[in-house]
Amino acid sequence: MIFFNEKERVFKLDTPNTTYMIGIVDKENFVGHIYYGKSLRDIDAAYLMRTEEPPFIPSKNNRERCSFYDCFPFEYPTSGVGDYREGGIGIRTAAGHVGSMLSYISYEIIDGKPELKGLPATFGTEKECMTLKLVCEDKYVGMQVELLYTVFEDVDVITRSVRITNIGQEYFYLTRVNSACIDMDNKDFDMVSLHGSWARERHIQRKTLGYGIHNVSSFRGESSHQDHPFLALVDKNTTQENGEIYAMNFVYSGNFRAQAEVTQFDSVRMTMGIHPENFCWKLECGESFQAPEVVMVYTDKGFDAMTNTFHKLYRNHLIRGVYKNKKRPILINNWEATYFAFDTEKLLSIAKEASALGIEMLVMDDGWFGKRNLDNCALGDWIVNEEKIRGGLKYLVHEVNKLGMKFGIWFEPEMISPDSDLYRAHPDWAIAIPGRPGTESRQQFVLDLSRQEVVDCIYEQVASVLRSANIEYVKWDMNRQLTDIGSYGLPVDRQGELYHRYVLAVYQMQDRLTKEFPHLLLENCSGGGARFDPGMLYFSPQIWCSDDTDAIERLEIQEGTALIYPLSTMGAHVSDCPNHAVGRVTPFDTRGIVALAGTFGYELDVTKIPQEDRDKIPGQVAMYHKYNDLVREGDYYRIASYAQNHKYDCWQVVGANQKQSLVTFVQVLSRVNFKSIRICLKGLNPDMRYRVVFENDDNIADKVYTGDMLMKAGLLVPVLWGDFQARLISLTNLE
Ligand code: GLA
């Protein structure tokens, strides 16, 4: 709900368990942040803006206007006129000046949630959400800023975004646009973020928040392996089950910066938005700029509550398409099976074996087009190589379909190889600084998607392949980050728009693709999980989590990913051993159990693996069919973290009616002379009795316990023989 109290000039935004309050300061019309936290009953909280303390509001005493600007809790700060903290917005006028300050003009409360033009965003019906639009202006610049807040009724989330319009007589530039800002009192916070690298994405990092500026960011052109567009400020004592968390997640797939600034007055300014590096957007008179959306979650109930809030929001209000609430076909991908060395016969031999074992879809990865037998050529030439795909694509797909399997295909549409017909015809279609040799990465350049003719050409190539056969899945990859930021197509004064225009074009292409092929299952990917973000989830219900498929490495990667994203979104496959990324040998069972926490599939040559492994596939397939509804839709609880205890990992999912639950336990290194491990479960009904079954261990007898016992006293997992052992434990309510 959203209320406006005219007398107090206070807006109150309520979700089921949280309140957010904004105040308009008399006369000056500054928009101030009052409160964000647990639900409040009353509205008279404007005193929290501290306008009665020195430095006083300028209308009362103009002596210290500058000091006032530098400490007032602005709802959406500007810069250049006295607030020295991170600005929400930065501008440069046609005359080259940079100062601005916003004053409140009007408001509107709208049922539902307006779309953000050209951008992915959360959505909801008029019954599910309400939006507050606060209109502010800087009359000297000729700038109108609309602050948008959407309140969801079924989940404790407020989303924010900003729309800036040039209402003046001259153009100006936007040099910085944050989408959200919260100015609050410092509570001796820790800062939690997700850090990583290629094949090591989204490891959870927690550190003390001292004075000064702390940020996580990417200006690599994508959300990146390295940092993630997520930031949480948490109480020092916050645990999985208890404690305050202020979290922000960016619905955007390009450059970002998330920042916390602890000031001289012990306040914290938390901001999130497009990274200002190389960002400069020209706004002509009458033009608008729509900033991407930030999702804000507050809880006082620890990480489990934060996680389930994000999961619920993304499952119900972000992910779309026919697979939104559906089991995904179990796929087998030939990348780690064959790399580039495959042809029709090889693929069909894999498909034949796989279909007999219950696998439902064959995905043909990189290497099927142009002259691509290595990663040094042909990106941009999306024409089937009939020397490898003998008989043509239609024949191959038909043969795969005859086996009762679906067919999927890999593309990397945003790229161009210097050794490609496309590059030979259009060398100016690559992103480049004219006159300067481009920096190759994986022997490729990035296409200049700010040019519509490039977008159209690539889209047509991809779409005609999809139109040519019964293709039911696409893996959309992006295997390098952006450098040499320059466009042959953009005028001088718009070169600073390239990064953002690039992201908008990726969205445009995926929007066209999902509209033309509504039944397609799209899986995004970027050198593994470099573009695993809510922006991409709007177009694809699943994203390849990491190029590291080792079950033990995946524990930390999947723990960090699941901190925000539902298990239904995490691309996870069983691969061969020794693992291609780390050389580790793990039991086939463990690989299956870890992959079952994601979309589930295989990434190996099923014709070559040991017979004893192959024999296990039908059992894993059965587990997938038995438990995927629960894994996809259930509440997720972190029980133990290998990343923290260095011994074992454990997570749990619980069905909506608490009648069913699945616990995954992975012992990493085995230890001698130890007792069983006691794990306390969560989310169960204390009054229900549950049958506890160790699904992959016949030596452990089934038991029956109450939810009360399992949650308070716990369950014993025996010492397991050998390293890297895993157990899948199901709990079913006895009626
Ligand atoms: C990326 C992907 C892999 C595979 C290769 C193909 O690295 O993450 O899964 O598709 O590209 O080149």
Side-chain angles (χ1 to χ4, degrees):
M1 288 299 286
I2 300 175
F3 309 92
F4 180 53
N5 184 314
E6 301 267 353
K7 193 168 146 272
E8 299 277 339
R9 304 185 86 201
V10 167
F11 293 92
K12 183 165 183 281
L13 288 66
D14 287 320
T15 70
N17 297 294
T18 73
T19 294
Y20 190 101
M21 280 163 92
I22 302 164
I24 311 297
V25 176
D26 277 342
K27 299 197 178 88
E28 300 276 358
N29 284 333
F30 298 126
V31 184
H33 178 72
I34 299 179
Y35 175 84
Y36 186 29
K38 275 185 259 191
S39 287
L40 287 184
R41 270 174 288 179
D42 304 328
I43 203 158
D44 51 355
Y47 66 95
L48 292 170
M49 290 189 289
R50 296 191 170 97
T51 49
E52 296 305 317
E53 291 175 27
F56 297 104
I57 43 169
S59 56
K60 283 204 169 164
N61 180 348
N62 202 22
R63 187 173 178 274
E64 281 302 340
R65 183 176 277 268
C66 181
S67 306
F68 175 82
Y69 285 170
D70 202 24
C71 67
F72 182 71
F74 282 106
E75 191 53 36
Y76 191 67
T78 52
S79 50
V81 297
D83 184 349
Y84 293 98
R85 297 162 290 177
E86 165 84 4
I89 193 167
I91 56 111
R92 198 171 65 242
T93 62
H97 303 139
V98 296
S100 65
M101 175 54 68
L102 296 173
S103 321
Y104 168 77
I105 300 292
S106 64
Y107 79 95
E108 203 182 325
I109 295 174
I110 308 156
D111 285 334
K113 184 170 190 291
E115 283 183 12
L116 305 186
K117 199 166 170 277
L119 286 167
T122 57
F123 52 81
T125 63
E126 293 186 357
K127 286 212 174 75
E128 291 168 335
C129 51
M130 232 181 184
T131 300
L132 168 67
K133 191 201 279 183
L134 285 183
V135 182
C136 308
E137 269 180 30
D138 180 323
K139 62 179 181 196
Y140 303 100
V141 175
M143 169 170 73
Q144 183 190 72
V145 176
E146 290 162 88
L147 305 178
L148 296 161
Y149 302 78
T150 296
V151 172
F152 284 83
E153 300 292 336
D154 60 338
V155 54
D156 285 312
V157 168
I158 296 175
T159 64
R160 286 182 64 172
S161 72
V162 176
R163 199 174 128 88
I164 300 135
T165 304
N166 183 343
I167 53 168
Q169 304 303 317
E170 255 185 314
Y171 70 85
F172 62 86
Y173 295 99
L174 295 170
T175 54
R176 170 201 316 250
V177 180
N178 275 309
S179 294
C181 168
I182 318 177
D183 265 356
M184 54 188 163
D185 285 15
N186 187 14
K187 299 188 187 171
D188 203 9
F189 284 123
D190 279 350
M191 164 173 163
V192 175
S193 59
L194 298 172
H195 193 264
S197 180
W198 172 74
R200 199 170 359 103
E201 296 88 342
R202 289 174 296 286
H203 285 198
I204 298 171
Q205 178 175 248
R206 180 170 181 164
K207 61 183 190 194
T208 305
L209 192 72
Y211 286 106
I213 291 177
H214 312 259
N215 64 41
V216 289
S217 73
S218 161
F219 47 91
R220 295 165 183 270
E222 60 173 354
S223 42
S224 89
H225 303 96
Q226 287 75 9
D227 273 340
H228 197 73
F230 166 80
L231 181 67
L233 300 186
V234 313
D235 187 276
K236 277 257 162 326
N237 300 314
T238 293
T239 61
Q240 282 302 129
E241 300 84 15
N242 288 300
E244 286 199 293
I245 300 177
Y246 293 87
M248 286 185 182
N249 196 193
F250 204 21
V251 188
Y252 189 59
S253 312
N255 294 352
F256 73 90
R257 190 164 73 182
Q259 185 160 298
E261 179 174 359
V262 183
T263 74
Q264 55 185 332
F265 301 117
D266 265 330
S267 66
V268 185
R269 175 167 285 179
M270 185 179 183
T271 50
M272 183 174 268
I274 292 178
H275 201 299
E277 174 83 17
N278 216 340
F279 173 80
C280 185
W281 192 278
K282 189 174 187 187
L283 264 193
E284 295 283 3
C285 303
E287 279 182 358
S288 294
F289 180 86
Q290 175 63 62
E293 177 174 62
V294 167
V295 171
M296 301 195 306
V297 173
Y298 167 82
T299 179
D300 64 334
K301 301 207 164 33
F303 290 106
D304 285 335
M306 177 199 81
T307 292
N308 282 309
T309 302
F310 276 116
H311 286 197
K312 197 168 169 196
L313 180 82
Y314 292 156
R315 274 200 303 257
N316 299 336
H317 301 288
L318 181 70
I319 294 168
R320 305 170 304 155
V322 286
Y323 283 100
K324 180 181 165 92
N325 302 313
K326 250 173 72 177
K327 221 167 15 168
R328 322 278 158 73
I330 300 175
L331 65 82
I332 184 158
N333 177 304
N334 75 308
W335 177 240
E336 289 192 24
T338 64
Y339 295 102
F340 294 99
F342 63 88
D343 55 18
T344 299
E345 289 68 39
K346 180 70 216 167
L347 292 175
L348 287 178
S349 72
I350 292 177
K352 205 163 160 215
E353 189 69 50
S355 73
L357 298 166
I359 297 172
E360 299 161 321
M361 178 160 74
L362 176 79
V363 175
M364 178 171 70
D365 210 280
D366 193 356
W368 56 266
F369 53 92
K371 296 200 170 53
R372 192 154 166 103
N373 293 313
L374 262 182
D375 61 8
N376 60 357
C377 67
L379 295 169
D381 300 341
W382 299 105
I383 294 163
V384 180
N385 176 353
E386 297 211 2
E387 281 168 29
K388 277 166 110 172
I389 309 303
R390 283 188 284 279
L393 188 58
K394 201 166 177 169
Y395 167 75
L396 172 64
V397 177
H398 187 64
E399 289 301 304
V400 170
N401 287 167
K402 270 190 357 206
L403 293 166
M405 292 177 91
K406 295 179 190 296
F407 184 88
I409 196 167
W410 177 97
F411 284 100
E412 199 182 351
E414 301 158 58
M415 297 294 151
I416 182 164
S417 304
D419 180 7
S420 66
D421 292 342
L422 189 72
Y423 189 76
R424 282 182 280 276
H426 300 286
D428 60 332
W429 279 16
I431 289 179
I433 299 171
R436 184 186 184 91
T439 312
E440 288 186 29
S441 177
R442 212 193 190 209
Q443 305 178 78
Q444 63 199 55
F445 294 131
V446 183
L447 279 167
D448 181 359
L449 300 181
S450 70
R451 302 175 68 163
Q452 192 60 39
E453 68 270 35
V454 178
V455 169
D456 292 342
C457 165
I458 297 296
Y459 179 79
E460 261 317 302
Q461 284 200 53
V462 171
S464 38
V465 173
L466 298 182
R467 288 178 204 129
S468 73
N470 182 27
I471 297 171
E472 297 177 77
Y473 162 105
V474 164
K475 177 175 171 187
W476 178 304
D477 210 342
M478 184 222 187
N479 275 323
R480 65 156 290 178
Q481 301 176 327
L482 277 58
T483 57
D484 308 280
I485 300 307
S487 165
Y488 283 92
L490 288 170
V492 177
D493 53 355
R494 291 198 179 270
Q495 289 285 327
E497 301 177 10
L498 181 56
Y499 271 127
H500 184 57
R501 285 185 183 275
Y502 179 86
V503 180
L504 293 179
V506 172
Y507 292 151
Q508 186 209 123
M509 286 167 89
Q510 297 209 353
D511 187 52
R512 280 163 78 175
L513 193 77
T514 48
K515 283 193 174 124
E516 182 175 347
F517 305 97
H519 298 291
L520 197 71
L521 173 56
L522 184 61
E523 175 156 357
N524 268 292
C525 171
S526 177
R531 216 163 48 179
F532 201 122
D533 58 58
M536 289 285 107
L537 281 182
Y538 182 74
F539 298 99
S540 66
Q542 60 193 58
I543 302 176
W544 183 230
C545 208
S546 176
D547 276 347
D548 192 338
T549 53
D550 172 66
I552 302 305
E553 289 288 299
R554 274 292 182 123
L555 296 177
E556 199 165 346
I557 296 170
Q558 293 184 189
E559 177 184 2
T561 308
L563 185 69
I564 326 174
Y565 305 107
L567 304 188
S568 62
T569 65
M570 299 197 305
H573 298 166
V574 177
S575 63
D576 202 2
C577 276
N579 178 269
H580 293 194
V582 287
R584 185 176 287 126
V585 177
T586 51
F588 201 74
D589 258 6
T590 301
R591 285 176 259 160
I593 285 174
V594 173
L596 279 170
T599 55
F600 195 69
Y602 293 85
E603 181 115 4
L604 40 71
D605 187 343
V606 71
T607 66
K608 286 196 180 147
I609 57 171
Q611 186 60 37
E612 67 201 77
D613 288 354
R614 200 177 301 120
D615 288 346
K616 295 204 158 159
I617 292 179
Q620 293 180 339
V621 166
M623 283 296 121
Y624 171 79
H625 288 302
K626 192 164 171 194
Y627 291 116
N628 184 255
D629 285 350
L630 183 62
V631 169
R632 234 182 34 248
E633 308 284 341
D635 286 347
Y636 168 89
Y637 296 97
R638 179 52 51 179
I639 307 294
S641 162
Y642 165 61
Q644 282 173 28
N645 66 30
H646 308 300
K647 296 186 180 79
Y648 58 93
D649 214 46
C650 186
W651 64 91
Q652 180 190 5
V653 285
V654 181
N657 51 19
Q658 296 174 301
K659 289 192 170 167
Q660 223 196 353
S661 175
L662 193 68
V663 178
T664 307
F665 178 90
V666 183
Q667 164 187 293
V668 180
L669 293 184
S670 106
R671 293 177 297 164
V672 72
N673 193 18
F674 263 93
K675 297 259 182 232
S676 55
I677 288 170
R678 175 142 58 127
I679 49 170
C680 289
L681 302 185
K682 300 183 191 173
L684 302 174
N685 183 330
D687 300 326
M688 283 185 185
R689 292 166 64 237
Y690 295 90
R691 177 178 302 286
V692 179
V693 178
F694 280 67
E695 291 281 0
N696 61 323
D697 194 337
D698 296 337
N699 297 323
I700 306 174
D702 299 357
K703 301 265 172 49
V704 175
Y705 302 104
T706 60
D708 190 53
M709 184 68 89
L710 289 166
M711 291 193 291
K712 291 181 187 156
L715 175 73
L716 295 180
V717 179
V719 177
L720 304 171
W721 176 252
D723 293 340
F724 317 129
Q725 298 294 320
R727 294 293 178 270
L728 197 62
I729 310 161
S730 69
L731 280 72
T732 315
N733 169 232
L734 296 174
E735 294 296 342

Short mmCIF file of all heavy atoms in Angstrom, two decimals, residues 259-277:
data_model
loop_
_atom_site.label_atom_id
_atom_site.label_comp_id
_atom_site.label_asym_id
_atom_site.label_seq_id
_atom_site.Cartn_x
_atom_site.Cartn_y
_atom_site.Cartn_z
N GLN A 259 27.32 0.89 -4.20
CA GLN A 259 28.26 1.56 -3.31
C GLN A 259 27.65 1.85 -1.94
O GLN A 259 26.46 2.14 -1.83
CB GLN A 259 28.65 2.88 -3.98
CG GLN A 259 29.70 3.66 -3.27
CD GLN A 259 30.35 4.67 -4.22
OE1 GLN A 259 30.96 4.28 -5.22
NE2 GLN A 259 30.22 5.94 -3.92
N ALA A 260 28.50 1.81 -0.93
CA ALA A 260 28.10 2.23 0.41
C ALA A 260 29.13 3.24 0.88
O ALA A 260 30.33 2.97 0.83
CB ALA A 260 28.06 1.05 1.35
N GLU A 261 28.64 4.39 1.30
CA GLU A 261 29.55 5.45 1.72
C GLU A 261 29.24 5.81 3.17
O GLU A 261 28.13 6.28 3.47
CB GLU A 261 29.35 6.66 0.80
CG GLU A 261 30.22 7.83 1.14
CD GLU A 261 30.08 8.97 0.10
OE1 GLU A 261 29.31 8.82 -0.88
OE2 GLU A 261 30.75 9.99 0.31
N VAL A 262 30.18 5.55 4.06
CA VAL A 262 29.97 5.89 5.48
C VAL A 262 30.57 7.28 5.70
O VAL A 262 31.75 7.51 5.45
CB VAL A 262 30.62 4.85 6.41
CG1 VAL A 262 30.31 5.18 7.86
CG2 VAL A 262 30.14 3.45 6.07
N THR A 263 29.73 8.20 6.16
CA THR A 263 30.12 9.60 6.15
C THR A 263 30.67 10.06 7.51
O THR A 263 30.62 9.35 8.50
CB THR A 263 28.92 10.50 5.82
OG1 THR A 263 28.06 10.52 6.98
CG2 THR A 263 28.15 9.98 4.62
N GLN A 264 31.10 11.31 7.49
CA GLN A 264 31.61 11.95 8.70
C GLN A 264 30.57 11.98 9.83
O GLN A 264 30.92 12.03 11.00
CB GLN A 264 32.04 13.36 8.36
CG GLN A 264 30.93 14.18 7.70
CD GLN A 264 31.38 15.56 7.25
OE1 GLN A 264 32.27 16.13 7.82
NE2 GLN A 264 30.76 16.09 6.21
N PHE A 265 29.29 11.98 9.47
CA PHE A 265 28.24 12.05 10.50
C PHE A 265 27.65 10.68 10.83
O PHE A 265 26.55 10.57 11.35
CB PHE A 265 27.12 12.99 10.04
CG PHE A 265 27.60 14.38 9.77
CD1 PHE A 265 27.52 14.92 8.49
CD2 PHE A 265 28.15 15.15 10.78
CE1 PHE A 265 27.98 16.20 8.23
CE2 PHE A 265 28.62 16.44 10.53
CZ PHE A 265 28.54 16.97 9.24
N ASP A 266 28.39 9.63 10.48
CA ASP A 266 27.92 8.27 10.75
C ASP A 266 26.60 7.94 10.07
O ASP A 266 25.76 7.23 10.64
CB ASP A 266 27.81 8.00 12.26
CG ASP A 266 29.08 7.34 12.77
OD1 ASP A 266 29.72 6.62 11.98
OD2 ASP A 266 29.43 7.58 13.94
N SER A 267 26.42 8.48 8.90
CA SER A 267 25.30 8.01 8.09
C SER A 267 25.89 7.17 6.96
O SER A 267 27.10 7.20 6.71
CB SER A 267 24.50 9.19 7.53
OG SER A 267 25.30 9.91 6.62
N VAL A 268 25.02 6.41 6.31
CA VAL A 268 25.46 5.59 5.18
C VAL A 268 24.63 5.97 3.97
O VAL A 268 23.40 6.03 4.07
CB VAL A 268 25.22 4.09 5.42
CG1 VAL A 268 25.80 3.27 4.27
CG2 VAL A 268 25.81 3.64 6.72
N ARG A 269 25.28 6.21 2.87
CA ARG A 269 24.54 6.40 1.62
C ARG A 269 24.79 5.15 0.77
O ARG A 269 25.92 4.86 0.38
CB ARG A 269 25.03 7.65 0.90
CG ARG A 269 24.38 7.82 -0.46
CD ARG A 269 24.61 9.19 -1.03
NE ARG A 269 23.77 10.19 -0.36
CZ ARG A 269 23.81 11.49 -0.67
NH1 ARG A 269 24.61 11.93 -1.61
NH2 ARG A 269 23.01 12.34 -0.04
N MET A 270 23.72 4.43 0.51
CA MET A 270 23.81 3.19 -0.28
C MET A 270 23.22 3.49 -1.66
O MET A 270 22.08 3.93 -1.75
CB MET A 270 23.00 2.11 0.43
CG MET A 270 23.09 0.74 -0.18
SD MET A 270 22.10 -0.41 0.82
CE MET A 270 22.43 -1.94 -0.03
N THR A 271 24.00 3.27 -2.70
CA THR A 271 23.52 3.60 -4.05
C THR A 271 23.75 2.44 -5.01
O THR A 271 24.64 1.62 -4.80
CB THR A 271 24.26 4.83 -4.61
OG1 THR A 271 25.66 4.63 -4.47
CG2 THR A 271 23.85 6.11 -3.94
N MET A 272 22.96 2.43 -6.06
CA MET A 272 23.17 1.43 -7.11
C MET A 272 22.71 2.02 -8.45
O MET A 272 21.66 2.67 -8.52
CB MET A 272 22.37 0.16 -6.81
CG MET A 272 22.59 -0.95 -7.80
SD MET A 272 21.75 -2.47 -7.30
CE MET A 272 23.02 -3.30 -6.38
N GLY A 273 23.53 1.80 -9.47
CA GLY A 273 23.14 2.32 -10.78
C GLY A 273 24.16 1.95 -11.85
O GLY A 273 25.09 1.17 -11.60
N ILE A 274 23.98 2.53 -13.01
CA ILE A 274 24.92 2.32 -14.12
C ILE A 274 26.27 2.92 -13.72
O ILE A 274 26.32 4.01 -13.15
CB ILE A 274 24.38 3.01 -15.39
CG1 ILE A 274 23.13 2.29 -15.89
CG2 ILE A 274 25.44 3.06 -16.48
CD1 ILE A 274 22.50 2.92 -17.13
N HIS A 275 27.35 2.23 -14.03
CA HIS A 275 28.69 2.74 -13.68
C HIS A 275 28.96 4.03 -14.47
O HIS A 275 28.77 4.06 -15.69
CB HIS A 275 29.75 1.69 -14.01
CG HIS A 275 31.02 1.90 -13.25
ND1 HIS A 275 31.78 3.03 -13.36
CD2 HIS A 275 31.64 1.11 -12.34
CE1 HIS A 275 32.82 2.94 -12.56
NE2 HIS A 275 32.77 1.78 -11.93
N PRO A 276 29.45 5.07 -13.78
CA PRO A 276 29.69 6.33 -14.51
C PRO A 276 30.89 6.27 -15.46
O PRO A 276 31.02 7.15 -16.33
CB PRO A 276 29.94 7.35 -13.39
CG PRO A 276 30.20 6.58 -12.16
CD PRO A 276 29.60 5.21 -12.33
N GLU A 277 31.75 5.26 -15.35
CA GLU A 277 32.92 5.16 -16.24
C GLU A 277 32.46 5.18 -17.71
O GLU A 277 31.67 4.35 -18.13
CB GLU A 277 33.64 3.83 -15.95
CG GLU A 277 34.79 3.50 -16.88
CD GLU A 277 36.09 4.20 -16.49
OE1 GLU A 277 36.20 4.68 -15.34
OE2 GLU A 277 36.98 4.27 -17.36
#
